Amino acid sequence: MSVRLILVGPPGAGKGTQAELLCESLGIPAISTGAIFRAHAQAGDELGQLAESYTSRGELVPDEVTNKMVAVRLAEPDAAGGFLLDGYPRNLSQVAELDSMLGESGNQIDAVLCLVADDDEVVQRLLGRAAEQGRVDDTETVIRHRIELYHAQTEPLVSLYRERGILVEVNGMGSIESVAQNLVSELKAFLTK
């Protein structure tokens, strides 16, 4: 299916897991800025060190760095027939940049999937993940700061995409399987309206 999607939701809402499942179902690539940043950090290159200097403090990587990385990724052949963006755009400036990137090729976002989740529940999820995976960036202070950033900077996107009529909200707090089923059914219903 040729579809261009964005997946939004607070940290810990399960975006990465759901992105993989949905993309496998739709046959499109999942493009995660978090994965791009981590790959550069593991490579130890200059961009990775720069990104990690922000993410380790719970801060967002600056727009100009993120925009360039996303533009390069969207230009890759596997994204020509559709994609799902996870972690981008995060603010209204990035929305404008994404609109411009896609507009150059005559494309646009088809739907924005929003995973809705309770702040305290996602904090507990992320603390559990930190313990399992030994992630040093997932302390409670950093997690709560990331959630505050989400509310302040990313939630305005939800309102914008709702106004554009392309927002699909799904409860992100069920089991992985039930959330995945709901995402697929809600997206199909939306796309066939």
Side-chain angles (χ1 to χ4, degrees), residues 2 4 29 74-83 107:
S2 178
R4 289 164 185 81
L74 291 180
E76 292 180 20
D78 68 332
F83 53 80
N107 293 310

Side-chain angles (χ1 to χ4, degrees), residues 7-8 12-19 21-22 113-117 125 168-187:
L7 182 61
V8 298
K15 294 183 303 296
T17 300
Q18 294 302 328
L21 294 171
L22 186 58
L113 304 168
C114 180
L115 290 176
V116 179
R125 268 191 191 181
V168 179
E169 292 182 280
V170 177
N171 183 347
M173 295 314 295
S175 69
I176 290 171
E177 296 78 16
S178 67
V179 173
Q181 289 172 352
N182 289 341
L183 270 173
V184 170
S185 63
E186 292 289 335
L187 176 62

